[in-house]
């Protein structure tokens, strides 16, 4: 008996670890030339910056336990009091900020409540925020300039959801993304706030130190012998047409028929079962050619409906930090120096955070339309845009210096990710189906799990995360092990 695991990300490595422990034969086929998938640390100074996963959600899970055991939890946290907000080139004053803060806290509570309300939970988060914002503006007696500031604060507020949930927050965003069908119409629905659950009353994200996810990845990989991971092995087809249902003999199905896994270099291998951990973005794009016969219609439709975002980080390296020590984040909104209303990349460059340990690095967190626009630019073009944006928007607040170098990984154009992570979209909410379960359900023939599906998008409570991805890998490996030990 042998199992193919497609992908050496958190889900694939955790599945492999389980099969290794049980002594079940397996091979991990990884398309790229590295392990980790959307865990992607790169060496910088005396540590590792993370193109992908950065924080650990919840505490009652294996990933948090690895972080704790290996001393990876950061001693410094992002200081919530160190937020600076700059609108149209000016710092927002304390009085207005306090009024805004109260609105934001109460709206957050209302959104949570709305998510749990069946009549509202299918609604779009962005529209719901606007609904509360309109009522707030009507109830206050703002001057025109104060109103403009509040409107910009609302843009920043919605951007927080874009960044956290990876879903475009506003209509402008997806109208300008027509080129990429995958990301067009999948906005975040309120239901996410009800369904997503890290097992804690209040979600806590653990911040890691400079070794962070590099050490977590090392630990996951240490349990899987290197010779069982085949890098640069892109799977282009999984052919299970040879496995015929039998009404009387499971053994026959086990020994007599195999799944044929074809690589892009035309090599093919036979396995008894396969665990697919490709990202949802990859499945959206490739599912019609990747499986023979095609996936069941319900599963395929769920893959189409579920949301998949495009967040990314750009690391800006400076000779010296120009930001004050107390600043933990600067949020920028407004259009200083811009004429006209046409959307531009700068509109999506809103959040900048100093790295907690690489003191000369500022991290730009980019969501919405930004990643798509960024993927069209060379490093020098992007540096020019960022330099111009920061010096123009912050000129009355800070003495911004020039960026020396940037580091980035464009998840949206990474052929094996095609985006960042998943979320419950309006389409899923409207169809009233359990799309996570539909995406996770294995292809069974005579009870035999012929093709299993793992990956962050298949975890019912902690989709989006490494915790969910690892848990899903373990679960699918266990499903296969249990089946074979039962026959
Ligand atoms: C910018 C960003 C920030 C994030 N921040 C966090 C965070 O702070 N905390 C957190 O928990 N999570 C975060 N995430 C999400 C987290 O990284 C993912 O949920 C998790 O790593 C997904 O693991 P996975 O195994 O499901 O998929 P992946 O990591 O995508 O692994 C799938 C693997 O399969 C390979 N593959 C795909 N198709 C094929 C094929 N046809 N043939 C062979 N190989 C194939 C891919 O190359 C990849 O290695 C972030 C992600 C991004 C992009």
């Amino acid at each position: 008996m042998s199992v193919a695991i497609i992908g050496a990300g958190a889900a694939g490595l955790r599945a492999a670890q389980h099969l290794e422990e049980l002594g079940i034969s397996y091979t991990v086929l990884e398309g790229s030339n590295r392990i980790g998938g959307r865990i992607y640390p790169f060496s910088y100074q005396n540590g590792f910056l993370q193109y992908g996963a950065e924080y650990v959600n919840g505490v009652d899970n294996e990933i948090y336990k690895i972080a704790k055991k290996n001393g990876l939890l950061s001693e410094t946290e992002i200081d919530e009091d160190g937020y600076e907000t700059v609108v149209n080139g000016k710092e927002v004053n304390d009085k207005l900020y306090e009024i805004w803060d109260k609105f934001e806290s109460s709206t957050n509570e209302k959104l949570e409540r709305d998510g749990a309300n069946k009549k509202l939970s299918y609604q779009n988060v962005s529209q719901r925020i606007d609904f509360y914002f309109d009522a707030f503006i009507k109830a206050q007696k703002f001057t025109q300039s104060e109103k403009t500031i509040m409107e910009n604060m609302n843009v920043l507020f919605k951007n927080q959801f874009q960044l956290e949930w990876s879903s475009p927050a506003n209509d402008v965003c997806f109208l300008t993304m027509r080129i990429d069908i995958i990301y067009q119409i999948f906005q975040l629905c309120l239901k996410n706030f009800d369904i997503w659950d890290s097992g804690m009353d209040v979600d806590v994200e653990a911040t890691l130190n400079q070794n962070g996810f590099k050490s977590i990845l090392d630990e996951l990989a240490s349990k899987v012998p290197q010779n069982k991971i085949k890098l640069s092995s892109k799977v282009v087809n999984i052919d299970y047409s040879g496995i015929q249902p039998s009404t009387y003999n499971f053994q026959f199905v086990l020994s007599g028929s195999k799944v044929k896994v074809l690589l892009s270099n035309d090599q093919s291998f036979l396995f008894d079962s396969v665990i697919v951990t490709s990202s949802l973005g990859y499945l959206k794009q490739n599912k019609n050619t990747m499986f023979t016969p095609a996936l069941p219609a319900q599963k395929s439709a769920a893959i189409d409906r579920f949301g998949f975002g495009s967040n990314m980080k750009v690391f800006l390296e400076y000779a010296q930090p120009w930001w004050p020590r107390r600043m933990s984040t600067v949020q920028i909104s407004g259009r200083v120096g811009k004429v006209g209303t046409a959307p531009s990349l700068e509109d999506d460059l809103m959040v900048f955070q100093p790295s907690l340990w690489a003191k000369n690095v500022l991290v730009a967190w980019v969501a919405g339309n930004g990643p798509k626009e960024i993927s069209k630019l060379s490093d020098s073009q992007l540096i020019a845009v960022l330099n111009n944006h920061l010096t123009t928007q912050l000129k009355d607040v800070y003495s911004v210096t020039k960026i020396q170098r940037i580091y980035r990984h464009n998840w949206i154009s990474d052929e094996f990710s095609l985006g960042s992570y998943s979320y419950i979209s309006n389409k899923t909410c409207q169809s009233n189906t359990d799309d996570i379960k539909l995406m996770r359900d294995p292809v069974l023939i005579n009870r035999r799990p012929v093709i299993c599906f793992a990956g962050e998008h298949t975890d019912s409570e902690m989709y989006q995360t490494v915790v969910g991805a690892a848990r899903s890998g373990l679960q699918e490996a266990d499903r296969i092990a249990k089946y074979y030990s039962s026959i």
Side-chain angles (χ1 to χ4, degrees):
M1 199 250 295
S2 67
V3 179
I5 299 171
I6 318 297
L13 291 172
R14 189 61 188 87
Q17 179 187 337
H18 194 54
L19 297 183
E20 182 71 28
E21 284 159 1
L22 297 175
I24 294 174
S25 162
Y26 67 92
T27 304
V28 182
L29 297 166
E30 168 55 52
S32 71
N33 58 6
R34 60 173 184 90
I35 61 163
R38 283 169 279 165
I39 299 177
Y40 194 171
F42 69 96
S43 172
Y44 187 79
Q45 293 175 353
N46 59 338
F48 295 86
L49 293 170
Q50 310 292 337
Y51 286 130
E54 178 115 15
Y55 307 106
V56 177
N57 299 82
V59 292
D60 189 16
N61 62 67
E62 291 184 342
I63 303 298
Y64 183 84
K65 283 175 191 146
I66 295 176
K68 188 143 182 90
K69 185 184 85 182
N70 293 302
L72 304 175
L73 302 175
S74 171
E75 282 169 11
T76 35
E77 290 286 333
I78 294 168
D79 177 7
E80 297 294 331
D81 295 331
Y83 270 63
E84 299 291 337
T85 305
V86 177
V87 168
N88 286 326
K90 302 269 177 279
E91 255 181 296
V92 175
N93 70 46
D94 289 351
K95 184 179 142 242
L96 277 187
Y97 198 87
E98 257 173 49
I99 298 173
W100 171 264
D101 208 33
K102 279 198 190 121
F103 165 72
E104 191 178 302
S105 312
S106 78
T107 306
N108 273 326
E109 280 168 24
K110 287 177 192 158
L111 294 173
E112 287 273 340
R113 194 191 57 201
D114 294 345
N117 179 339
K118 281 204 168 53
K119 288 196 188 124
L120 295 172
S121 65
Y122 66 90
Q123 279 193 20
N124 177 297
V125 171
S126 171
Q127 281 166 4
R128 196 70 189 156
I129 292 176
D130 285 341
F131 167 80
Y132 289 123
F133 180 73
D134 288 346
F136 163 69
I137 290 291
K138 277 190 194 124
Q140 302 276 339
K141 292 195 176 71
F142 289 129
T143 63
Q144 186 51 44
S145 70
E146 288 172 337
K147 197 172 152 221
T148 306
I149 292 173
M150 289 302 172
E151 280 162 358
N152 279 281
M153 297 294 279
N154 199 36
V155 171
L156 292 170
F157 183 39
K158 289 196 275 186
N159 186 50
Q160 288 172 20
F161 291 89
Q162 298 197 123
L163 283 175
E164 192 172 336
W165 292 88
S166 91
S167 161
N170 63 55
D171 298 355
V172 177
C173 190
F174 68 89
L175 281 175
T176 55
M177 286 174 95
R178 287 255 174 255
I179 0 151
D180 208 326
I181 308 160
I182 301 178
Y183 305 99
Q184 247 180 50
I185 39 174
F186 301 100
Q187 288 179 299
L188 190 69
C189 86
L190 289 160
K191 202 173 180 178
N192 284 282
F193 306 146
D194 191 39
I195 300 290
W196 195 93
D197 185 7
S198 67
M200 298 174 81
D201 288 344
V202 180
D203 180 45
V204 181
E205 282 185 342
T207 307
L208 304 183
N209 63 22
Q210 68 270 28
N211 294 318
F213 263 99
K214 171 69 167 75
S215 300
I216 292 176
L217 183 58
D218 287 347
E219 169 108 7
L220 289 172
S222 69
K223 310 277 169 55
V224 184
Q226 273 183 20
N227 64 352
K228 293 192 181 173
I229 304 177
K230 310 278 177 231
L231 295 178
S232 304
S233 300
K234 176 180 173 180
V235 172
V236 291
N237 186 256
I238 298 167
D239 184 346
Y240 59 105
S241 58
I243 305 174
Q244 299 301 323
S246 148
T247 48
Y248 60 96
N249 188 345
F250 296 140
Q251 297 293 345
F252 170 77
V253 172
L254 172 64
S255 56
S257 48
K258 301 265 182 186
V259 188
K260 187 170 146 192
V261 174
L262 178 68
L263 304 189
S264 58
N265 63 7
D266 279 345
Q267 272 188 299
S268 63
F269 303 93
L270 297 175
F271 295 96
D272 296 290
S273 292
V274 178
I275 303 176
V276 176
T277 75
S278 304
S279 77
L280 178 58
Y282 190 90
L283 291 175
K284 279 175 186 285
Q285 189 116 307
N286 296 291
K287 68 175 166 23
N288 293 341
T289 51
M290 196 172 172
F291 301 94
T292 308
L295 290 176
Q298 274 196 321
K299 181 187 279 293
S300 181
I303 291 171
D304 287 337
R305 276 189 302 259
F306 212 71
F308 197 64
S310 64
N311 290 357
M312 70 180 293
K313 297 171 234 180
V314 183
F315 299 91
L316 321 184
E317 182 184 73
Y318 289 91
Q320 299 291 331
W322 51 256
W323 48 92
R325 278 176 80 89
R326 66 180 158 76
M327 188 191 96
S328 64
T329 302
V330 58
Q331 297 196 95
I332 302 170
S333 179
R335 311 199 98 223
V336 181
K338 284 251 175 260
V339 222
T341 52
S344 72
L345 168 57
E346 285 90 330
D347 297 332
D348 284 310
L349 302 176
M350 289 187 253
V351 176
F352 297 83
Q353 265 179 353
S355 160
L356 282 177
W357 59 270
K359 297 295 177 200
N360 57 330
V361 170
L362 196 61
V363 188
W365 294 81
V366 191
N369 214 14
K372 186 87 209 167
E373 292 303 314
I374 283 179
S375 69
K376 297 175 193 160
L377 303 180
S378 67
D379 276 7
S380 57
Q381 287 170 324
L382 181 54
I383 288 176
V385 171
L386 284 159
N387 271 334
N388 181 50
H389 181 60
L390 289 170
T391 47
T392 314
Q393 301 297 327
L394 300 179
K395 76 174 182 323
D396 292 341
V397 190
Y398 302 118
S399 305
V400 177
T401 57
K402 295 277 184 220
I403 298 164
Q404 293 201 317
R405 197 177 160 181
I406 55 167
Y407 302 84
R408 59 166 157 164
H409 182 75
N410 280 74
W411 292 103
I412 201 168
S413 45
D414 176 322
E415 76 160 302
F416 293 108
S417 297
L418 294 168
S420 53
Y421 46 88
S422 64
Y423 59 91
I424 303 177
S425 67
N426 286 8
K427 282 205 132 190
T428 283
C429 287
Q430 280 152 12
S431 80
N432 211 11
T433 40
D434 185 347
D435 284 349
I436 298 183
K437 180 177 177 305
L438 286 171
M439 292 192 289
R440 180 178 63 228
D441 279 348
V443 172
L444 299 174
I445 300 180
N446 277 18
R447 277 186 47 236
R448 166 180 168 190
V450 174
I451 308 181
C452 298
F453 293 84
E456 55 86 11
H457 57 285
T458 65
D459 189 89
S460 290
E461 278 108 38
M462 291 184 74
Y463 51 94
Q464 311 207 318
T465 66
V466 173
V467 171
R471 190 157 71 185
S472 73
L474 171 62
Q475 179 175 309
E476 294 314 304
D478 203 45
R479 187 196 296 276
I480 290 174
K482 283 203 174 106
Y483 169 75
Y484 286 109
S485 66
S486 76
I487 56 170

